[in-house]
Amino acid sequence: MMLTRRHIRVKVMQTLYAFKGSESDDFSKDQKFLLYSIDNMYNLYLLLISLLIEVQKRAEDDLQKKQNKHLATKEDKDPNRKFVNNHLLKNLCENLQLNNQLEANKINYWELDGEYVDVVFKAITSSDLYKEYMKTRVSDFHEDKEFIVDVFKEIIAPNEKLYDYLEDKNLTWLDDLPTVNTTILKLLRKSKANVAEGFFVPQLYKDIEDKQFAIDLFKKTLLNRTVINEEIDLKTQNWDADRIANVDYVLLQMAICELKNFPSIPVKVTINEYLEISKEYSTPKSSIFINGILDKLVKEYEANSKLKKVGRGLM
């Protein structure tokens, strides 16, 4: 599976941040957008994994062109086919379930934007990694796998032209990129010569509960906004309202909603998650601010028995 609960919280935060209505408005469109932006992460995964397939095809074409040259050299006629025959790349190219998913999700971007395949192909073939790999003509699965893992980690993932391209294609993808790259690297590292057909088609959600968590967190935060905002205002009276970052306000709304309405999530987990998200998405001082407010609220909830947590170790 690709999605962690933290990534789900970030997606909910982004959707709430963009929501301009009030809690009485119909927010089904926004909920749809939330689920769409999460599902779209899977398309990013497919797009990047298919880039490896396209690079292999590009290498094949390259050898073909050299062989058909009018003045083909000895090397052109008998090329080193190690990269083209890379076991892991072959597995990807021949994986039926993966190819079905690429077709079903209409992942044909590289046909239209072939120049990016060229950019990546050239970056690979001009690298020291490649030169080292091509010193021999034969390899086993392990060597092939190590090479592709390194290529993905050192050449594809940090490629700036690719990064700009993805940003142009879809704004939400940049936030998804670290998670998707990590997923691909994990799968490449774990792959074996004979993996199950579904190996390269991971689940997006861990289970149905995670998808429901996304919907519930979004809806419950919106539906309880007035009450939650009153609680925040009481705790931030010494703060100039205009100086509280909008993102912090949304994170506080979500954290308070989670503390009060999700009995199976431990208090510590909730607080830690929102502090980590604020470090990444808000101002340097946000986590101290958010921690201070939540700490006060939790103490009050406990004193007034307002925290209904169930299960082990939930405080």
Side-chain angles (χ1 to χ4, degrees):
M1 72 92 191
M2 293 163 66
L3 264 180
T4 63
R5 282 273 173 116
R6 180 168 310 162
H7 207 95
I8 292 172
R9 287 179 177 96
V10 167
K11 289 285 184 193
V12 172
M13 173 197 80
Q14 289 165 338
T15 312
L16 286 169
Y17 185 80
F19 182 74
K20 293 292 176 261
S22 70
E23 61 200 54
S24 57
D25 290 342
D26 172 32
F27 47 78
S28 55
K29 268 212 323 270
D30 301 85
Q31 186 179 311
K32 250 197 192 131
F33 174 76
L34 167 67
L35 294 175
Y36 162 78
S37 81
I38 293 174
D39 287 342
N40 208 17
M41 201 172 152
Y42 186 64
N43 287 336
L44 176 62
Y45 164 78
L46 290 173
L47 183 65
L48 287 173
I49 202 96
S50 69
L51 182 57
L52 289 168
I53 296 174
E54 294 305 319
V55 163
Q56 193 273 348
K57 287 185 195 161
R58 177 72 179 71
E60 187 84 78
D61 288 349
D62 203 51
L63 291 188
Q64 205 60 54
K65 277 185 191 136
K66 282 177 180 165
Q67 277 178 328
N68 297 338
K69 264 195 330 202
H70 180 53
L71 296 168
T73 64
K74 184 169 168 286
E75 197 195 335
D76 290 336
K77 286 179 175 164
D78 181 25
N80 183 351
R81 297 186 59 83
K82 189 174 169 182
F83 182 50
V84 168
N85 291 337
N86 182 289
H87 293 82
L88 179 50
L89 290 182
K90 286 273 193 199
N91 281 359
L92 284 171
C93 295
E94 290 161 10
N95 188 298
L96 266 178
Q97 275 195 35
L98 177 58
N99 282 300
N100 289 341
Q101 285 293 310
L102 292 173
E103 210 169 300
N105 289 280
K106 299 187 172 59
I107 305 295
N108 53 3
Y109 295 62
W110 305 126
E111 289 170 25
L112 309 165
D113 301 316
E115 68 266 29
Y116 290 93
V117 179
D118 287 346
V119 163
V120 170
F121 178 68
K122 281 181 185 134
I124 293 170
T125 51
S126 62
S127 69
D128 292 341
L129 261 179
Y130 180 82
K131 288 177 187 117
E132 192 56 40
Y133 175 70
M134 296 298 275
K135 277 181 180 170
T136 58
R137 288 175 84 100
V138 284
S139 55
D140 58 6
F141 182 81
H142 180 74
E143 189 196 339
D144 282 355
K145 176 171 90 170
E146 291 299 304
F147 173 66
I148 296 302
V149 165
D150 288 342
V151 160
F152 192 83
K153 193 171 70 191
E154 293 173 31
I155 297 170
I156 296 178
N159 190 292
E160 282 184 20
K161 284 189 178 158
L162 198 55
Y163 185 89
D164 293 342
Y165 169 74
L166 295 172
E167 185 177 25
D168 280 350
K169 281 287 168 201
N170 192 303
L171 258 181
T172 64
W173 274 352
L174 290 192
D175 277 315
D176 303 334
L177 202 53
T179 304
V180 171
N181 281 339
T182 305
T183 300
I184 292 176
L185 269 175
K186 268 187 196 158
L187 288 176
L188 294 175
R189 283 192 178 116
K190 281 186 181 167
S191 66
K192 296 184 169 68
N194 303 306
V195 289
E197 269 292 314
F199 181 78
F200 286 111
V201 189
Q203 296 297 311
L204 184 56
Y205 294 95
K206 186 170 96 233
D207 47 37
I208 194 72
E209 277 139 36
D210 271 6
K211 185 172 188 174
Q212 197 53 50
F213 171 69
I215 296 168
D216 289 347
L217 182 58
F218 174 69
K219 274 167 100 163
K220 286 178 179 175
T221 304
L222 268 187
L223 290 171
N224 295 296
R225 238 177 179 182
T226 306
V227 177
I228 292 172
N229 287 353
E230 281 166 11
E231 291 201 43
I232 297 173
D233 294 343
L234 280 172
K235 289 282 165 280
T236 55
Q237 279 168 343
N238 305 334
W239 291 73
D240 177 357
D242 295 336
R243 284 184 55 218
I244 300 171
N246 291 348
V247 173
D248 294 352
Y249 215 89
V250 172
L251 290 175
L252 278 172
Q253 289 172 336
M254 290 168 67
I256 293 167
C257 172
E258 203 173 292
L259 288 168
K260 294 173 90 171
N261 298 294
F262 291 81
S264 64
I265 300 175
V267 169
K268 266 187 187 148
V269 170
T270 295
I271 292 177
N272 287 342
E273 285 286 277
Y274 289 102
L275 294 185
E276 287 305 314
I277 294 170
S278 73
K279 283 175 195 167
E280 204 172 325
Y281 288 91
S282 199
T283 67
K285 290 182 178 162
S286 293
S287 60
I288 301 164
F289 168 67
I290 289 172
N291 194 29
I293 306 285
L294 293 180
D295 196 47
K296 279 184 203 159
L297 282 172
V298 167
K299 282 179 182 142
E300 276 178 29
Y301 295 157
E302 283 169 352
N304 303 326
S305 307
K306 277 187 180 172
L307 281 180
K308 308 276 187 283
K309 295 289 180 183
V310 295
R312 285 199 315 255
L314 289 175
M315 296 313 278

